[in-house]
Structure formats: structure tokens, C-alpha cells
Amino acid sequence: MVEMSENWPVFIKTNDLIIRPLRLRDHKQWVKVRSKNVDWLGEWEATIPKVPGENSSQPLPTFYEMVFWHRREGRQGRAFSLAIWHESGSEKTLIGQITLGGVMYGAMRGGHIGYWIDKDFANRGLTTQVVAAVTEFAFNTLSLHRIEINIRPENSPSIRVAEKAGYLFEGLRPRYLHIDGQWRDHSCYVKENIQVN
């Protein structure tokens, strides 16, 4: 059973995971897990394309800027970027992040999910658990109709996550996102909320 708050900040608890917004005091753990996983995540990370007349060498936001941006977007209901914490006894370990982003209401009522996980916690079913919990939040709390997960076709572990969470393959999106320095094809997986007419 998933427990959720109704308002920002979002708090979701599953059997052994806590899914909540990053806090400023999480800085040290976030830097540690990201540094440890830089090679593991590098080939899947979004990059900024070079566009004539634009500065594509802008620095990434600091951790603090990222946290404040996540808070603002969450309060506005446009994006819900959440840290994933593994609970073992009294110990809580930051193991990744998941974002329900691009949230649209009105006639579309949809969004998309993206995520990353610490390599030491991969292949344990935890990512599927998180995707299922955030999908449930999107459908039951936000009453969204359609959620997409766009995955590079060669990322078979992530495809398994989407499929195990009940997402269906919809089609290929050529050159969909700029990842690891190039425009990359993505497979689109979709889940619809049958309770929203």
C-alpha cells in the first residue's frame, strides 16, 4: 500500500522506500551518490545541444538551485522531482531520483517519468516499485490520464522496469532527446489511467 500526502511536499512510502523531495541538508549524500555513479549514469544523462546563437556551455545548476527549482515546480504542480531513499532498519540511504515532469492538465492531463538509480541498488526491483508508486500518485492524486516513459532502445534494464510497472510500448521516437552529446532515439512506453474519462 502506498501512503501519500495530498499537497506539496509529496511524500510516498512503500515497503522499504521513502520517496520525497530533496532537502538542502541532503546535499552531502546527493553529491556522494552522484559522484559514485558518474560513469554508470553518464551514457543515459541529458546534455545541452549546441544551438547557433545560444551559449551551450552554461554550468549546471548548483544543488541548492536545483532544490529550489524543484520546490517551485512542485508547488505549481508542473513537475514532481523526488529523491528515492532505501530504508533498512533505522538507516536511510539515498539511492536515486524520479521525476514526474511535463505535467499538463486540461484536455491533455498527462506527464512523463524519468529516473536514475545507484548502481548498487539496480536489479532489485526497487526502480519498478518507485515507478509504480509515482504512477499511482499521478493517477490517483493528480487524476492524470496518460504517463509516458521514454527510454533509449539499448537500455534493456530500464525497458524491463517500464514493462513490469505496466507500461506498454507505443512506438519509436527518432532523435527524441539530446543524451550523452547526441540526439538519441527513444522507445515510448505509455500507461493510461482507465478511471479518467
Side-chain angles (χ1 to χ4, degrees):
M1 179 63 181
V2 175
E3 302 167 16
M4 295 173 268
S5 66
E6 291 184 11
N7 301 312
W8 183 262
V10 175
F11 181 87
I12 303 172
K13 184 162 179 16
T14 68
N15 296 339
D16 48 1
L17 298 174
I18 295 171
I19 309 159
R20 63 157 174 84
L22 282 167
R23 300 171 182 156
L24 296 178
R25 66 176 173 256
D26 299 330
H27 178 251
K28 187 175 180 180
Q29 285 197 61
W30 188 87
V31 168
K32 180 180 175 185
V33 73
R34 290 293 301 185
S35 297
K36 179 177 86 169
N37 286 280
V38 69
D39 292 335
W40 162 258
L41 298 173
E43 67 181 303
W44 314 114
E45 296 272 282
T47 48
I48 305 296
K50 292 180 180 171
V51 177
E54 287 186 15
N55 180 4
S56 60
S57 63
Q58 298 174 32
L60 291 172
T62 67
F63 175 82
Y64 301 103
E65 290 168 337
M66 179 183 69
V67 168
F68 287 120
W69 185 83
H70 288 170
R71 286 179 184 172
R72 185 183 71 237
E73 293 298 294
R75 286 187 189 113
Q76 296 295 319
R78 291 187 294 247
F80 301 87
S81 191
L82 309 167
I84 306 164
W85 298 82
H86 184 259
E87 215 174 10
S88 179
S90 61
E91 187 178 323
K92 293 178 181 70
T93 307
L94 178 62
I95 65 167
Q97 276 182 266
I98 186 166
T99 298
L100 169 62
V103 177
M104 301 289 288
Y105 300 96
M108 183 169 213
R109 294 207 80 81
H112 53 80
I113 286 179
Y115 46 83
W116 63 266
I117 193 152
D118 182 335
K119 63 183 173 187
D120 294 340
F121 289 85
N123 301 313
R124 296 190 194 180
L126 299 173
T127 311
T128 302
Q129 193 180 133
V130 171
V131 169
V134 171
T135 301
E136 186 176 324
F137 164 75
F139 287 168
N140 296 341
T141 301
L142 302 178
S143 296
L144 298 185
H145 162 66
R146 173 188 167 93
I147 306 295
E148 293 184 3
I149 302 175
N150 292 290
I151 305 164
R152 286 179 52 192
E154 62 272 28
N155 190 346
S156 53
S158 200
I159 288 171
R160 281 194 304 275
V161 166
E163 291 173 341
K164 287 192 296 183
Y167 283 73
L168 302 175
F169 177 71
E170 188 174 69
L172 184 69
R173 291 190 166 164
R175 299 163 307 286
Y176 181 66
L177 285 174
H178 203 268
I179 304 287
D180 192 26
Q182 292 183 26
W183 292 104
R184 309 282 184 170
D185 295 351
H186 280 67
S187 296
C188 180
Y189 286 80
V190 173
K191 189 166 186 177
E192 293 184 2
N193 186 354
I194 57 171
Q195 300 192 7
V196 173
N197 296 349

